[in-house]
Amino acid sequence: MPNNRLAYTLLTLTALFWAGNFVLARAVHASVPPIGLAFWRWFAVAVFVVPWGWGELRRQWPLMRARPALMLALGVCSVGAFNTLIYIGLQTTSAVNALLLISAAPVLILALAPLLLGNKLVARQALGVAVSATGVLLVLTHGDIAAIASLGQHVGSLWVLAGVLSWALYSVLLRKLPPVINGRGLFAATVIVGLIALLPFYLGETFIQHRPVQLNTTLLLTVAYVAVFASVLAYLFWNRAVTMIGAEQSGVFIHLMPAFGLILSALLLGERITAADLIGLALILSGLIIAAGRLIPTRRRAP
């Protein structure tokens, strides 16, 4: 039980750190360019993670080199695209919207697995995906389903949804790796690949869109938070908790992100939470429960 309490604490802090990433990105959206924020976030992470994981990366490199397309996709979908797309979306949509949409990630994973892994989507899972998709539409249209024909007006939310889809794709592709490719080596590899993929877009934002990153206190504090808390500490806390109580029970704590995020968005950004937002979130989570059969798995008996 003490170990469980420690794991629950680590997972709760991880969800809080990740929710803070969304709220902070929205708070600085006018002063810190989105791709610049993503690039310098992962550059700061690389300074710590690459030396830390270099030994494992070298040991795992022959296996990674044999799977170039898969390693490229993993780095691009996670480090390169996920947060970058969400930061772009947060230029025009609220942190509340972004946090509600991130709740759809587990259901998108269920929907993609049959396409990429050959898993069979059973009737219960298909129903869950449909229910969650209804919730996503409700969030995207702010309760006005008739507005589905003019989703171009909600381009920020669509960017966020693209980021969520990118994370779901990463999560499914991760299962194609052999178990020996993991841990610090995999983290270091995805950070390197993602940074390389981000570089041309960062240069384009800086020199073509004329949105250079301004070195100031806001930038330094923002990068420090998203690199240290939302990246390195969240990664360490998450991995430690998973080793203690397992991935399935740990995954439940992702759903604390919208709860923390809605509170932080209301308190720090003054964003309004509507009835449609809450109903949309309820549908997204209900779809997940239907698809999974239960939210928290029962503990297996020891053999």
Side-chain angles (χ1 to χ4, degrees), residues 115-170:
L115 299 175
L116 299 176
L117 301 178
N119 297 351
K120 185 177 180 181
L121 192 67
V122 301
R124 186 190 70 242
Q125 292 173 325
L127 176 61
V129 170
V131 171
S132 286
T134 303
V136 169
L137 283 177
L138 198 61
V139 172
L140 284 173
T141 60
H142 303 290
D144 181 11
I145 298 298
I148 191 68
S150 58
L151 270 180
Q153 298 175 8
H154 308 288
V155 65
S157 295
L158 293 176
W159 278 112
V160 171
L161 192 58
V164 177
L165 180 61
S166 175
W167 178 256
L169 183 59
Y170 163 77

Side-chain angles (χ1 to χ4, degrees), residues 266-301:
L267 292 178
L268 302 179
L269 304 178
E271 293 185 355
R272 189 167 62 93
I273 304 168
T274 67
D277 291 333
L278 296 178
I279 294 171
L281 176 61
L283 285 171
I284 291 170
L285 296 183
S286 296
L288 177 63
I289 294 170
I290 292 169
R294 58 180 181 267
L295 191 58
I296 302 178
T298 55
R299 186 182 298 275
R300 294 181 180 176
R301 293 181 181 177

